[in-house]
Amino acid sequence: MDSEGGALYLVATPIGNLEDMTLRGIRILKEADLIAAEDTRTSGVLMSHYEIHTPLTSYHEFNKIDKADYLVEQMLQGRTVACITDAGTPGISDPGEELVKKCTEEGIPVYAVPGPAACITAVTSSGLSCRRFSFEAFLPKDKKERERVLDEIKDDTRTIIIYEAPHHLKKTLAELAGVLGDDRRLVLCRELTKKFEDKQQMTFGEAISFYNENEPRGEYVLVIEGKSREEQQAEKQQAFSEMTLEEHMALYTGKGISEKDAMKAVARDLGTTKREIYRRLKVNE
């Protein structure tokens, strides 16, 4: 192993193509005392392919608290545990996060063994900007929490990454279009790294029309274009145009800003000069 004594290794596993398993990941899984797997049946295929005979134990969303305590106890006794998810990097939108938290609290070393991650694979191959992006994983099921997240991403200028299952895709596309607009671009990534990998760049309006005629198949990663700076500015200009000049000034003076600096700020908002703002205010007196 890479360390002595009890430790946790987060081992990334293939998201589709079994050849994407790293050499170090295979070694760690073979040398570990125990592998905590999200689904032992799914992981069994990987274990068989690489002839890994380390004992497996289930660690998933429904036992993540009690099982994490058991795994931590094993590590405190000096054993090495490798944590894997069904596909991708543990800890990203799965129970591995809880286990890492408990290990950190107990002072148990945690090592990440990097490898595949669907969100990174999707955004880097999408053709959209990947300098800044926001990873939302699956949208919350709770209605109020879901509405809060949708409201937060409405004005996000970063590229947004969302996971979705095929049977929920149509509903999610409609919800997102209602918040982001039919003309917002996105890339729908399906079956990443697998034989029938597919990526389609289109607008939300086009995507909704397409999937009204074609049944969604496979797991999806939605890579969504962020709101443009130009669109943000246009919306601000529209909001400012609906205010009186006095109301606009009050936005700044109400924050304790001097009248002189408030006129500068208003002029900047409206794309004009401080002198013009001064003139218009005098005319309105």
Side-chain angles (χ1 to χ4, degrees):
M1 302 300 294
D2 294 352
S3 69
E4 296 181 1
L8 173 67
Y9 285 83
L10 303 173
V11 181
T13 56
I15 59 175
N17 193 319
L18 288 177
E19 293 180 358
D20 290 334
M21 190 69 197
T22 68
L23 294 175
R24 182 182 174 216
I26 295 169
R27 177 177 63 80
I28 294 295
L29 293 179
K30 287 184 175 182
E31 294 178 359
D33 296 306
L34 183 64
I35 298 174
E38 190 172 6
D39 187 322
T40 55
R41 292 167 300 179
T42 299
S43 299
V45 176
L46 181 70
M47 301 299 113
S48 176
H49 184 81
Y50 285 106
E51 298 182 348
I52 298 168
H53 305 296
T54 306
L56 290 173
T57 186
S58 63
Y59 177 65
H60 48 70
E61 184 64 30
F62 303 105
N63 71 354
K64 66 181 181 181
I65 304 300
D66 293 339
K67 198 54 169 287
D69 290 337
Y70 167 77
L71 294 171
V72 165
E73 184 60 34
Q74 295 299 304
M75 287 179 273
L76 288 173
Q77 292 177 19
R79 296 182 178 89
T80 297
V81 174
C83 178
I84 59 175
T85 183
D86 284 349
T89 300
I92 298 180
S93 189
D94 74 34
E97 182 179 4
E98 181 69 26
L99 183 56
V100 171
K101 180 180 177 182
K102 286 184 176 289
C103 285
T104 302
E105 291 171 351
E106 294 291 340
I108 297 170
V110 178
Y111 303 98
V113 182
C119 55
I120 300 300
T121 303
V123 72
T124 54
S125 62
S126 68
L128 299 181
S129 172
C130 51
R131 187 180 74 83
R132 298 171 64 245
F133 58 87
S134 168
F135 176 60
E136 293 293 342
F138 289 94
L139 292 175
K141 293 180 180 179
D142 179 78
K143 184 178 179 181
K144 288 186 177 180
E145 180 68 9
R146 193 178 182 96
E147 289 175 351
R148 184 185 67 79
V149 171
L150 289 172
D151 187 61
E152 287 177 351
I153 68 175
K154 179 174 62 177
D155 296 315
D156 201 335
T157 58
R158 298 170 295 179
T159 298
I160 303 157
I161 305 169
I162 291 174
Y163 290 165
E164 193 51 277
H167 53 287
H168 292 312
L169 182 68
K170 293 181 182 180
K171 177 185 176 183
T172 298
L173 287 174
E175 284 182 299
L176 289 167
V179 173
L180 304 176
D182 285 343
D183 295 331
R184 182 75 70 88
R185 288 193 306 160
L186 78 158
V187 178
L188 294 103
C189 303
R190 185 176 67 88
E191 300 293 88
L192 288 169
T193 77
K194 297 179 182 178
K195 182 178 180 179
F196 298 107
E197 176 176 328
D198 180 54
K199 288 189 283 290
Q200 295 177 296
Q201 183 172 134
M202 56 183 77
T203 66
F204 272 101
E206 291 168 341
I208 290 170
S209 296
F210 179 84
Y211 283 107
N212 279 338
E213 299 177 4
N214 300 273
E215 197 62 28
R217 296 181 184 279
E219 299 299 317
Y220 287 82
V221 181
L222 309 182
V223 184
I224 305 165
E225 185 176 50
K227 176 176 280 190
S228 69
R229 304 288 184 184
E230 293 75 18
E231 188 179 356
Q232 275 193 327
Q233 189 59 33
E235 288 181 357
K236 286 182 180 179
Q237 293 281 3
Q238 178 62 32
F240 293 145
S241 69
E242 295 171 359
M243 296 180 184
T244 66
L245 198 56
E246 288 74 17
E247 288 172 338
H248 200 159
M249 283 287 292
L251 282 178
Y252 294 105
T253 56
K255 297 177 183 178
I257 297 174
S258 69
E259 187 172 324
K260 179 181 177 181
D261 288 337
M263 280 191 281
K264 287 182 181 178
V266 171
R268 183 175 61 249
D269 290 340
L270 299 179
T272 186
T273 64
K274 175 189 167 189
R275 178 176 293 184
E276 174 61 17
I277 298 301
Y278 178 81
R279 184 192 69 76
R280 287 169 57 186
L281 286 170
K282 288 300 180 183
V283 169
N284 292 343
E285 286 182 353

